[in-house]
Amino acid sequence: MTNGDRIAMSEIRAFRFPLWMWIAYAGILLAVAALVGSSYWIEAGRVGLDIPLGHIVTNELTSIVIVFAVTPLVFAWTARLDPRRIGWPRALLGHGAGMIAFGAAHIGGMTLLRLALYPLFGGSYDLGEDPLVTGLIYEGRKDALAYIAMAVGAWLLAAALRKPATIVEQAAQAGQQAVRRLEIRDGARRVWLDPADILWIEAAGNYVELQLADRSWLQRQTLAALEEQLADHGFVRIHRSRLVNRHRVRGIVSNDSGDFTVTLDDGRQIAGGRRWRDALLQAG
C-alpha cells in the first residue's frame, strides 16, 4: 500500500460512524421523503392534478436512495479537505467541486432510476418542458444545501463522538527529565505513544490533537506544556497553534508572504507561519 493509499484510508476512517447512526440517518431521510411526498400529493389533489401515488413514491425514494449512497463519499471528501491541514482557500475550492459532483450524481442517479422504474407503474418518466439549465438550477440549489448539511454534520458528529482523553506525562526515570513516552487515557483504556510516532500536534480549543499516521488523539492539555515536554524529541513550533516533529519533515516550501508548507514523510502537508520558519530551519 502506498503512502497515498494509507492517507486516504486514515481520512475515510476519520468519519466512520456506528451502525445505529447510519440507521437513524436512513430513517430521517425516509421521514423527509414521506413529508415532502405527502405534501406534494395533497397539493396536487387540491388543484385537480391526477398524479399516480406510485410516481410520487418513486420520485422521493429514488432521491433519498442516491443521497444515502453518496453520503460516505461526501464524508471521505470532507475529511480530505481539512482546512487546518490544507488551508481555507483550497478547502473551499474543494468543497465547491464537491457540491458540483454531488449535484451531478444526485440528479443523474435519480433520473436514471426513475426512467427504469416508472414503467413498472404503467407510465414513463417525463423530463419536463423546462429548459435544462432551469432544471439544473432548481435542483442544484437544493443539492448545494444538502451537501453543506452533510459536510458540516460530519464534522459535528465526529467531534461529538470523539471521547476527549487525558494525557499523562511518563514519570522521569534515572534523573532524566525528557518524556520517553506518553500515556493516553481514553476512558478505561490506556495507550502508550512513542513521541517518534507523532507527526504533528495541533491546538484545538482547550485540547490538543496528536496526529499519527493512522489516527489522531484528542487530549485536554496545553500546547505550550507539550512543547516543553517534547522539545528533546525534536518537536518544533511552526505556528501559534501547531508543533511538528522535525524528524518526520521531508520538505519545506515557502511562499511570497514568508509563510511556508511542510511536507511530512507520509505525504501530508501542514502550514507554518513565517514567524517560526527560522526556528524550524535551525532545528533541522
Side-chain angles (χ1 to χ4, degrees):
M1 181 179 291
T2 66
N3 282 338
D5 293 334
R6 285 193 293 269
I7 296 168
M9 289 303 296
S10 70
E11 287 169 338
I12 291 172
R13 283 196 296 268
F15 290 146
R16 176 176 290 178
F17 300 118
L19 178 60
W20 68 264
M21 190 164 289
W22 286 105
I23 295 174
Y25 177 55
I28 292 173
L29 290 178
L30 284 171
V32 171
L35 178 62
V36 174
S38 60
S39 297
Y40 182 75
W41 185 56
I42 292 172
E43 291 301 322
R46 286 177 177 175
V47 297
L49 293 177
D50 184 17
I51 300 177
L53 181 60
H55 290 179
I56 296 177
V57 173
T58 299
N59 287 349
E60 298 306 322
L61 288 183
T62 52
S63 176
I64 66 170
V65 163
I66 299 300
V67 169
F68 189 86
V70 301
T71 295
L73 298 179
V74 174
F75 285 178
W77 183 240
T78 301
R80 288 180 178 273
L81 300 178
D82 187 342
R84 298 170 300 178
R85 180 172 58 85
I86 65 174
W88 278 105
R90 291 177 62 187
L92 292 175
L93 285 174
H95 280 303
M99 284 185 188
I100 295 173
F102 171 74
H106 181 223
I107 296 172
M110 68 182 183
T111 299
L112 290 176
L113 286 178
R114 291 171 186 178
L115 288 172
L117 295 175
Y118 259 56
L120 300 179
F121 300 98
S124 60
Y125 182 59
D126 184 4
L127 296 177
E129 299 179 356
D130 293 332
L132 178 60
V133 174
T134 302
L136 291 177
I137 292 176
Y138 176 78
E139 293 293 340
R141 294 179 306 168
K142 297 186 292 182
D143 287 341
L145 292 176
Y147 177 91
I148 293 172
M150 284 189 284
V152 174
W155 283 109
L156 294 177
L157 288 172
L161 291 175
R162 191 183 327 182
K163 296 180 179 179
T166 303
I167 185 169
V168 181
E169 181 179 347
Q170 174 76 352
Q173 298 180 5
Q176 297 180 358
Q177 296 182 350
V179 176
R180 291 189 175 183
R181 58 179 182 168
L182 298 175
E183 179 187 350
I184 304 297
R185 293 179 181 174
D186 187 3
R189 187 163 64 105
R190 294 187 180 187
V191 178
W192 296 93
L193 297 183
D194 184 343
D197 293 333
I198 304 172
L199 282 79
W200 82 90
I201 304 171
E202 185 118 14
N206 295 326
Y207 299 86
V208 290
E209 190 171 11
L210 285 72
Q211 296 285 348
L212 280 67
D214 59 347
R215 67 159 300 165
S216 64
W217 292 95
L218 189 68
Q219 277 72 241
R220 191 176 186 87
Q221 178 84 352
T222 66
L223 192 67
L226 274 182
E227 180 180 15
E228 181 178 353
Q229 294 169 8
L230 297 175
D232 291 339
H233 291 277
F235 282 81
V236 181
R237 186 181 290 266
I238 62 169
H239 189 273
R240 62 183 177 84
S241 61
R242 192 173 299 123
L243 307 176
V244 69
N245 184 348
R246 65 180 177 85
H247 299 302
R248 308 296 294 269
V249 173
R250 292 297 177 266
I252 303 172
V253 178
S254 300
N255 58 29
D256 294 338
S257 68
D259 295 337
F260 59 95
T261 300
V262 172
T263 300
L264 302 172
D265 57 9
D266 71 345
R268 282 186 280 185
Q269 295 181 327
I270 55 176
R274 60 181 180 272
R275 174 181 171 187
W276 293 274
R277 181 177 181 275
D278 291 341
L280 177 60
L281 294 176
Q282 293 169 7

